[in-house]
Every structure is written in C-alpha cells, then in structure tokens.
Amino acid sequence: MSNVVVARSLDEARDALADHPDATVLAGGTDLMVEINRGLRRPSHVVGVAQVPELRQWSVADDRVVVGGGVTYTEMMAAPLADAAPALAQAARTVGSPPIRNAGTLGGNLGTASPAGDTLPVLAALNAKIVVVGPDGERRMGLDDFVVGVKRTSLGPGELIVRVEMDRPTGRQEFLKIGPRNAMVISMAGLALVADHDARAVRCALGAVAAGIPRASEAEAWVAEHIDWDNGAGVDDAVADEFGQRVAAASSPIDDHRSTAAYRRHAIAVLATRALKRAFAPGGVDDA
C-alpha cells in the first residue's frame, strides 16, 4: 500500500517531495494508472497535485503563453487559451476520450516523456521553457534538455513541473498526427509547425519518429528562404513537397507493433507538406 499525500498548495507539494524525493507525482493519473494496473509501477509514496491551484493557472500576453503543469487537455481546448496557442489546442483534441482529456494534464504529458506525447512537438515548435521547482529552487530548461530519452527526463529527486512558458508568434500554427484510427489512439507519427512572420522563420518539431522530439532545423532554414514573406500568398507545391522530404530526413523512426519505420518516414513527409500548405494558405496571417 502506497503512502499518499494530497497537496493543496505548491508549498505543500514541495514539502511532501522534500520529505520523500523519490515519491511519484500524481496529477490526472492517465499514464500512471496504466502502468500501475499492468504491474509496471509500484510506488511506495505518492504526492497528489491535482488540487494545487498554482499548477492550474495559465496566462496569455502579447508575445508569450504560460500554462501551468496541472492544466488539463480540456482546458487547453477552450478559448481564450486555445486562441493564443492553437496548435496546443489541436494536440489536446487528439488525446484520448473526454474523460481522459478532463483528467490528463500538460505536466503529466511532459513527465511521461513519451516520444508519442501529443503536446511535446507543439512545445518544441513554440520554443517552450519548462519550469520546475525542487530542493535547490527553480530551474528553467528547453524541451531538448528536459527530455533526455524515451520516457526519461532530467527531473531530479524532489523536483516538480510547475509551468511551461512558450512563444506566441504572429503566424499560423498546425499540429497533425496519424494513427491506425481517427481518435483515442497513440500517435504513429506527429508533427507541429509554427510560422513566425516577425522572425521570418518556420519551426517544425516531430513526434513518435525519434527517441526524443527533434526539430527539423535544416528543413526549417531551407524553407524560410523559399517563402514569400511579404505577400503571404501560399507556398509552391514543389517547395512544400521538398520541405516534406527534408523534414522526413530529420526523423529516425523504428519498426514496432504500431508501424514500420518506412511508413513513419513517409507519413511525416506527408504531414510536413500538408502543415506547411495550411500554415501559408492564402487569406492572410492568423494572428494567434
């Protein structure tokens, strides 16, 4: 039987983790309970954080969006947060069923650190900083420093994900994924793309096609030179197709029970091509 502490403030959560640095943090439990039910986890101490109000907060500014680690997928799908971070809302809509979206949290998706985590490519494309607190105070890090392997993070003993700070660029955002069916499915390949018109840059991050959440940096730099940023009248088909191939080259998929590596590589090229066309479709810039 686990010892369970239900924290009702951030200070209570920090104190509980200070007493038991190896405790398992429980928010929505949508990933943790699967592992427990399968006998893969038997935590001796659990710190529940679903009732910590500081983790349920979010805010929107002109150039930044801040989302607490305890904000649920359902909350991410609703305006005005969804208007400020549309790709995050798109990713949240693809997660599980309504009960899962009501319980699952951004911090939980980060903490699980699965390459198939739907919000992770969005965070990478939005240059997110993950803020954690622990015995040594507060730390801020990029996603590439936070996720260090398949379901492995750089969280230290007693540390807790508090919030995520991400850019709010002037341009369209897209999240696309593919699975064996349209809903309630783990991604076989996923992708987030952000058009930053102020910086004249495209950011593209990949999910479920590598051990981490890679940015397609070479493809980003190449396509930025082939976009008419001044009139925003769409993207040539040949440019979009070449971009897709370059994005696929940034992936390193594997064969597993959900898909072959070859199919994942093909799918990510198609998703990248499609996302780029949508992000620069005629009709002007959608200021998020």
Side-chain angles (χ1 to χ4, degrees):
M1 178 68 70
S2 298
N3 295 309
V4 179
V5 173
V6 178
R8 290 178 171 80
S9 72
L10 186 56
D11 286 342
E12 286 187 14
R14 294 177 67 177
D15 290 344
L17 288 170
D19 292 339
H20 298 284
D22 61 342
T24 297
V25 175
L26 173 65
T30 56
D31 288 329
L32 177 62
M33 293 310 299
V34 172
E35 295 187 346
I36 290 176
N37 290 337
R38 290 178 176 174
L40 302 176
R41 295 277 293 276
R42 286 290 182 264
S44 58
H45 293 86
V46 175
V47 177
V49 298
Q51 298 185 42
V52 175
E54 294 95 328
L55 303 181
R56 300 295 299 271
Q57 298 172 355
W58 57 267
S59 63
V60 173
D62 288 342
D63 61 349
R64 191 175 71 157
V65 177
V66 179
V67 181
V71 173
T72 66
Y73 297 115
T74 297
E75 291 170 316
M76 293 180 233
M77 291 163 51
L81 179 55
D83 297 332
L88 192 64
Q90 291 169 2
R93 291 188 190 102
T94 72
V95 175
S97 60
I100 294 295
R101 294 193 291 270
N102 287 339
T105 64
L106 182 61
N109 208 215
L110 273 167
T112 298
S114 167
D118 289 320
T119 68
L120 271 58
V122 178
L123 300 184
L126 291 175
N127 290 334
K129 298 295 183 184
I130 294 87
V131 181
V132 305
V133 296
D136 298 323
E138 186 175 282
R139 290 198 296 142
R140 297 173 74 253
M141 69 198 92
L143 190 68
D144 54 346
D145 291 321
F146 181 82
V147 177
V148 296
V150 176
K151 296 192 175 182
R152 293 172 50 232
T153 74
S154 60
L155 278 174
E159 286 192 320
L160 173 68
I161 301 167
V162 176
R163 64 185 181 274
V164 178
E165 302 170 352
M166 61 196 87
D167 291 348
R168 188 185 180 189
T170 55
R172 292 175 181 168
Q173 304 176 17
E174 297 291 337
F175 172 80
L176 300 171
K177 84 174 190 181
I178 190 167
R181 58 187 183 186
N182 289 334
M184 296 180 64
V185 65
I186 298 173
S187 175
M188 295 192 309
L191 174 146
L193 185 142
V194 172
D196 186 340
H197 285 257
D198 287 344
R200 297 197 168 200
V202 172
R203 307 183 207 151
C204 184
L206 315 182
V209 292
I213 310 295
R215 285 271 294 270
S217 302
E218 188 277 336
E220 293 175 351
W222 178 85
V223 79
E225 299 296 324
H226 291 79
I227 289 172
D228 186 347
W229 294 98
D230 292 321
N231 73 33
V235 175
D236 182 81
D237 285 347
V239 169
D241 290 342
E242 176 65 18
F243 175 70
Q245 295 303 314
R246 289 172 182 257
V247 169
S251 68
S252 51
I254 61 170
D255 295 321
D256 65 12
H257 63 284
R258 288 198 300 274
S259 177
T260 65
Y263 180 77
R264 282 189 164 105
R265 190 172 289 108
H266 169 75
I268 210 71
V270 172
L271 295 181
T273 299
R274 188 174 299 165
L276 186 71
K277 288 182 176 181
R278 290 184 181 181
F280 289 92
V285 174
D286 290 339
D287 290 328

